Each structure stands twice: as structure tokens, then as C-alpha cells.
Amino acid sequence: MRLKISLLKEPKHQELVSCVGWTTAEELYSCSDDHQIVKWNLLTSETSQIVKLPDDIYPIDLHWFPKSLGIKKQTQAESFVLTSSDGKFHLISKLGRVEKSVEAHCGAVLSGRWNYEGTALVTVGEDGQIKIWSKTGMLRSTLAQQGTPVYSVAWGPDSEKVLYTAGKQLIIKPLQPSAKVLQWKAHDGIILKVDWNSVNDLILSAGEDCKYKVWDSYGRPLYSSQPHEHPITSVAWAPDGELFAVGSFHTLRLCDKTGWSYALEKPNTGSVFNIAWSVDGTQIAGACGNGHVVFAHVVEQRWEWKNFQVTLTKRRTMQVRNVLNDAVDLLEFRDRVIKASLNYAHLVVSTSLQCYVFSTKNWNTPLIFDLKEGTVSLILQAERHFLLVDGGGIYLYSYEGRFISSPKFPGMRTDTLNAQTVSLSNDTIAIKDKADEKIIFLFEAATGKPLGDGKLLSHKNEILEIALDQKGLTNDRKIAFIDKNRDLYITSVKRFGKEEQIIKLGTMVHTLAWSDACNILCGLQDTRLTVWYYPNTVYVDRDILPKTLYERDASEFSKNPHIVSFVGNQVTIRRADGSLVHISISPYPAILHEYVSSSKWEDAVRLCRFVKEQTMWACLAAMSVANRDMTTAEIAYAAIGEIDKVHYINSIKNLPSKESKMAHILMFSGNIQEAEIVLLQAGLVYQAIQININLYNWERALELAVKYKTHVDTVLAYRQKFLETFGKQETNKRYLQYAEGLQIDWEKIKAKIEMEITKERERSSNSQSNKGIGVKY
């Protein structure tokens, strides 16, 4: 990826350009010390003077009113705030009319920023004051005051906090008076510029110490650049938070969100005082010290999938290379390419007006449909369909271009969604709530309606990253997520009635990905790459989960690596320096998944015998119990030396009725309540009581016996025997109440138990013979 620079031979301004701002993807306004505000049209390459400011006004900063929220009064959305050296800020319309000038600070107003909703404006000045204003320019409050000039300010993603500079310090101040203020030393020189991205919640800072730095919202350092030759005069996030740009003297740099540099350009611009990204994130404009406005397009982006590599060579041209036969195809587009995604044998490209869907089998005839809004900020793909996110909403389309659904939820802000907070599978869409980060919304892909009974997935901590598994049946769909403690959890997405268990899979997990070919999960866990070959093991037999893992040392990936993709059996990891590392994992677990999903149990056993690995046998053991194939389970558990479980499986086989077998398989997986329900529904009350006795659930055993008026004496007898073994006296009031005046007769109890077993056998044989006759109703 690099920047393609365009610079006019002669500058349009006579003096230093202090600030720039985009109105649309093709229109820019620039302000200069020559008191002119100039409009640039990139389509026609024309410039025109909008307004000539009075000679005593030197513009310093401009910010357009946010227009992505569909505000009714369009006039408000077509205006900008201009801060100036005379202590005022000016609200100016798109046509250049000064709507209002407000006395704001003593000395120059150094920066002014609208919040994301457009309901408030923050200004900072040489007088060290930070002031909050209404959108009409009425003073609401003076948020803070200090002795040094405040050079730059930015809103937090929720518009509830303000980040500003204080010499070498950065300060995050919430709008609530009682809330805690966060302050830290960020640079060794005065900080000149800050930016805070609403999508990734990361902070950029640049200073006179010639460094730029990336921070998280807690003030923890994530990246610090090497010192440059000159002070860093500007930094700015791309709207989607994946890239940022850095400006200095004769320098423009394009960086990844983690800090490493994609490209370095050395245009003849003087210092770049201000950088603005276009709404679609494809180009940047820089305000230059020598009167120029520099434009730069992001080109040479790359997308890879299996044997295909797609490169954006120009604004409207892509090159597709098949590395198997070195065949090259050129894809031409009518408009500028904004976003693209290559996965599941399809390339999806969004331009400023249309969406193109290419199949990897045929690059010549794409499917094309028009977009409602041209600023697509995210494309996600699943096997059957893909998701587009733009300023207006979330849209699901099939690869044939058919619109499927558009999920919505209260307070939805599409501008904050990214690949970590939205996940897509063949039947489910999962979206993390930005307002309450402990909640995940789940939707049916086919209808866009809330999944199941509409219950939200709620966790005890804030969630950072989510991912849906890609294969298998809808009822078995799982979602994995990482919370702010860096713990990895897994849970089922079907939410009917009872609360689904959220089970912890691992700790210190920084990044995760599901395989696109089968339900294998991988994650970078502290200093290890961990692969969960069968994550569902936690629902079947948690004891053998460690035996189903593959782990390898990940220290070679250096600090803060990130999983880019998991295609087939290849994991692609990006290191902190931007280099890609490809790791192949064993292909056998994927084959095992395939056999099990097709119920080819003999082939699965044969494969495990061939591979001779404990992880394979452990996966097969869990898979066979999950699919109720106890014969295979017995073989697999014997192979990993779990002899006690082999004995238990053997005892399950000898049970007289299928309901009893089912109940004991559920108990084997730890689902005691479900096992009890199965037995009670089948009318096997004694068996339900017995499993509670075996598990020493004395309260529940007596409760069932009393409720169904049967075997109360049996429960009391076993309870007495249990107490005698430990030399204890009865203290439970309910047991004392029912034991009063009751004589325990073990012979009678044994006869009753024998009768229950005989009854169950007879019932089982009757149901079998009925099946054989083929009873018609």
C-alpha cells in the first residue's frame, strides 16, 4: 500500500495553508493566512474562492458539521466552524456566508471540533481554556483551564469525553463534573496534534520531540515512532480506523493502525500543518506551509485468498493474479474503488456508486448493483452471502446480488462498526453494541430479525472482539469473543428460554479467528499460538479440552501480532512491524470434522489410527459423545487412556431404555438438569430420583419423591446410609419431618427398585416391538 501524491505546479494560496476539510469525497475547502477560503473540485480540477476573510482574521482550524446522521435541517449540515487568531470562532455556510462569529477565547482559538452527533462544539485556545458550546454557538461550560496553550482537541467515541493537550501531557476529561480525569506524560516535547478514532477507540499524538505515538483510551502506549528530522505537525485517522496519516516538513506518511509505516512520501510542501481524510477513506489532503494543498490517494492495497492476489493498481483499476498459472486479469471500474473483500471464492468491490461481485471462476462478467450510499465502510463475507456497512445501515446481499435483509437495533451507529465488532455466518449476524459494550445483538441472516426469542447475549465485562463459527447446523452455531480482561469465551447463539452457558476457553488471548473450512478456532494467547481443534469439547467433556489443543511458541511474531485470516489449514499472522507470517496447521483435524459431519464413524476411527496422535483421539472422543455415538466414544476414550470413562460408557450401553441412555449421556457431558428432564418426560421418575441420589443432590431427590408421591422411603434409606458412613446425625428439617415414625426396610426397598428396573425393561421391549410391527395412527 502506498500514497499516490498529486501537487499543483503553482500554489493556489499566497501564504501558509492552515487547515483543510472535505465536504464530499470530491470536494475540499482550504483556508490560508492569505485570508482566502478556497473550494477545490477534484472531478473538474477547478478551484474557486468562496470567501475573503477580513485582514485581521487568520484562520487556524476548520471542521465540517457532521452530516452522517441524516439531520433534517440540511442548512446546518452544510456549514463549518472556523477558528481564528482573533479569539473568535465563526460558523460559516458552504456558500461562504459567515452565519455567526463568537468571542470565545483570549488570544487565538487553536482548535474547534464538533462532536459526532453535531450537538456540541469544543474549542481550545492560547488562554489554556477548553470550552463547550451548543451547535448555535451558545457557551455551555468551561470544561477546564490551565496555564499553557492547548494546541489540539478531540472528542471521545461516545462524545462524553474530551482529549486535549497540555504541554507534554495528554488529558482525557469527561463532561460529567465528578468523573475521573485521566492524565499522562505522552511526549518529551510540546504536543502539537491529537486525534481519537471512534471505530477502534485509539488515540494519536504528535509532538515537537519529532515522534508520533499510538495510545489506547486508558493512556497505555501501543506504538512510538523513531524520532524524525523535524517536529510532527499533523496526524489524522482514516474514518474506518484501519489507517492513519502523519505530516511533517516535506513529509507525508501512511501508517497502519498499529503504528508501522506502509509508505513514506517526500513532497515539496514545507510543513504539513493539517491533514483531512475524505469521507470514504480513499484519499487525504494536506495543508502545506508553502501555500500548496497536497492530495494523496491510497493505492496498491492487496487482498489475498488461496491462490489469488488482487491489487488496487489505480483508483479505478484492479489487477488479479493467479499464482498457480501466473494468469493476470485487469478489472476496470467506472468509479473510484472504496472498499474490497476477497473470500469464499468471491471478490466484492464497492465503488462510490455501485457494488461489483466477481466469482474467482470468472473475472469477466461481474454482477453489478447500485448502492444507496457510496461510503461503504465495511465488507464482510460468509460462504453464502456478504454484508455491507455504510453511513445509512447494514445490508446483507447474496452473491447473486439479491438483497436479503437489513438488521436494525436501537441506537445503531454504523460509523463505529468494524471487523472486530461485527461477525457474519451463513445464518447469523452478530453485532457488538457500542452503547453497552457488554451486549451482543444476534440476528437471523435471512430475515434481519432478532435471533430466537430476541434475548441479547450479555456478558459480565466489556467485549472487545467477536467471531461466529462458519460451518455446521444453525442450532449448533457458536460465537467466540474476547473481553477486556483478554479472556476468551464461547457460547451458543440460539437463545430460547433458558440462559445459554458462556464458558471460558482461554486467558490472555489477544486475537482470534475461525477457520473458513471447519469449526476450528485459533488465537494468539500470551506467547503461544493456540488452536482449538474442537472448541465444543467444553460442552461435552471439559476434562479432555487440553488434549484437543495444538500449541506452539509465538515469540517469533514479536509484540502485538494479529491474525489476519484462517483459510483452510493456513493461518496468516501480521507482526507488529507489518510483515506477514504464514503458518500451516495439521490438515487431519479438518478431515476428521468432515467425516463426523457426514457420520462416517468408521472412517474417523481409521483416520485416528493412521495419524496416531492424542489430539485426534481426544477430538473424536468429544465429537462422538456430542453426536451420541457411544461405540466410537468407547474406542476413542480407550485410546487416550480415560479408562473410568470407558467403564461408564459401557454401563450406559447396558441400560434398558433409550431414555435412560440419553439421560446418562447428558450426565456424562455435565447436563444434569437436562438428563432429569428427559427421564421425567419419559415417566421414569425413580431413575430421575436415583441420579440425584448418586450425585448427592439430597434436596432435589426428596423434592421429586414427595412431588410424585413415590420412593420417599428409598430416598430416606439412602440418606441414612450416607450419614452413617460419615458418622453424622441428620440436621435437615425436611428429612427429619419425613423420617418421623418411618422404619427403613432395605429388603422392601430393593424389591421396589427391582420392580422399577423390570418395568423399564418391559416398556423398552414393548416400544421396540411396536416399532417392528409399524403401528399406524
Side-chain angles (χ1 to χ4, degrees), residues 119-346:
T119 54
L121 171 74
V122 62
T123 60
V124 294
E126 282 184 328
D127 57 2
Q129 293 190 337
I130 296 94
K131 293 184 176 182
I132 307 290
W133 309 80
S134 73
K135 66 180 179 184
T136 54
M138 304 293 288
L139 181 64
R140 283 189 184 163
S141 65
T142 300
L143 192 66
Q145 189 164 353
Q146 56 187 43
T148 55
V150 181
Y151 288 101
S152 189
V153 67
W155 287 94
D158 55 2
S159 298
E160 293 294 322
K161 300 186 190 81
V162 169
L163 163 75
Y164 60 91
T165 67
K168 300 174 185 179
Q169 309 267 328
L170 283 179
I171 300 170
I172 295 176
K173 176 117 167 85
L175 299 187
Q176 283 83 18
S178 57
K180 190 182 171 190
V181 176
L182 184 65
Q183 181 171 347
W184 72 96
K185 186 189 174 192
H187 287 260
D188 295 323
I190 288 172
I191 301 167
L192 301 175
K193 270 283 192 293
V194 292
D195 197 9
W196 193 347
N197 187 261
S198 64
V199 180
N200 61 29
D201 199 22
L202 298 179
I203 291 166
L204 282 176
S205 63
E208 287 187 348
D209 59 357
C210 306
K211 291 180 182 179
Y212 63 89
K213 298 187 180 186
V214 184
W215 312 85
D216 69 9
S217 55
Y218 300 102
R220 292 179 296 214
L222 302 179
Y223 181 85
S224 176
S225 73
Q226 294 297 315
H228 288 56
E229 291 173 25
H230 302 281
I232 309 290
T233 45
S234 55
V235 283
W237 280 111
D240 64 2
E242 292 299 313
L243 304 169
F244 65 87
V246 177
S248 182
F249 182 74
H250 286 343
T251 302
L252 204 54
R253 193 184 277 277
L254 180 69
C255 301
D256 184 77
K257 65 180 174 188
T258 51
W260 55 273
S261 184
Y262 274 111
L264 174 65
E265 301 293 333
K266 290 282 188 180
N268 183 22
T269 56
S271 289
V272 180
F273 288 110
N274 185 252
I275 291 173
W277 283 84
S278 62
V279 185
D280 55 22
T282 60
Q283 52 195 334
I284 58 176
C288 308
N290 60 2
H292 273 293
V293 173
V294 63
F295 293 96
H297 285 94
V298 179
V299 292
E300 290 189 17
Q301 283 171 277
R302 279 195 180 86
W303 297 268
E304 291 176 359
W305 181 77
K306 292 192 175 175
N307 51 304
F308 292 99
Q309 186 184 63
V310 177
T311 309
L312 180 69
T313 50
K314 295 176 188 170
R315 296 173 66 187
R316 298 187 177 103
T317 309
M318 280 180 158
Q319 185 192 73
V320 181
R321 183 181 293 276
N322 184 341
V323 295
L324 292 181
N325 56 14
D326 225 24
V328 174
D329 288 275
L330 277 181
L331 312 178
E332 298 281 348
F333 300 95
R334 197 183 72 187
D335 306 293
R336 191 179 65 257
V337 172
I338 290 172
K339 281 272 177 217
S341 175
L342 176 62
N343 218 332
Y344 295 103
H346 287 88

Side-chain angles (χ1 to χ4, degrees), residues 95 257 669:
L95 301 171
K257 65 180 174 188
S669 303

Side-chain angles (χ1 to χ4, degrees), residues 459-476:
H459 186 52
K460 59 189 177 204
N461 291 321
E462 285 90 348
I463 295 163
L464 299 179
E465 191 173 338
I466 64 174
L468 287 161
D469 65 9
Q470 296 298 312
K471 292 289 180 177
L473 302 169
T474 308
N475 281 346
D476 299 330

Side-chain angles (χ1 to χ4, degrees), residues 650-662:
N650 247 323
S651 69
I652 293 173
K653 281 180 169 180
N654 298 328
L655 289 168
S657 70
K658 66 173 187 185
E659 289 89 354
S660 281
K661 285 176 183 170
M662 173 63 85

Side-chain angles (χ1 to χ4, degrees), residues 544 547 592 601 604-605 608-609 613-625 629-643 645-646 649:
I544 64 166
K547 293 181 180 178
L592 186 65
W601 296 106
V605 171
C608 290
R609 283 182 177 144
E613 275 184 16
Q614 191 188 43
T615 47
M616 291 287 285
W617 282 114
C619 287
L620 181 60
M623 287 170 175
S624 49
V625 172
D629 190 300
M630 301 319 280
T631 309
T632 310
E634 195 176 349
I635 298 165
Y637 274 110
I640 56 172
E642 299 274 346
I643 305 305
K645 287 171 184 173
V646 174
I649 291 165

Side-chain angles (χ1 to χ4, degrees), residues 13 33 45 131 263 318 474 543 680:
H13 289 283
D33 278 4
S45 303
K131 293 184 176 182
M318 280 180 158
T474 308
D543 300 342
L680 291 174

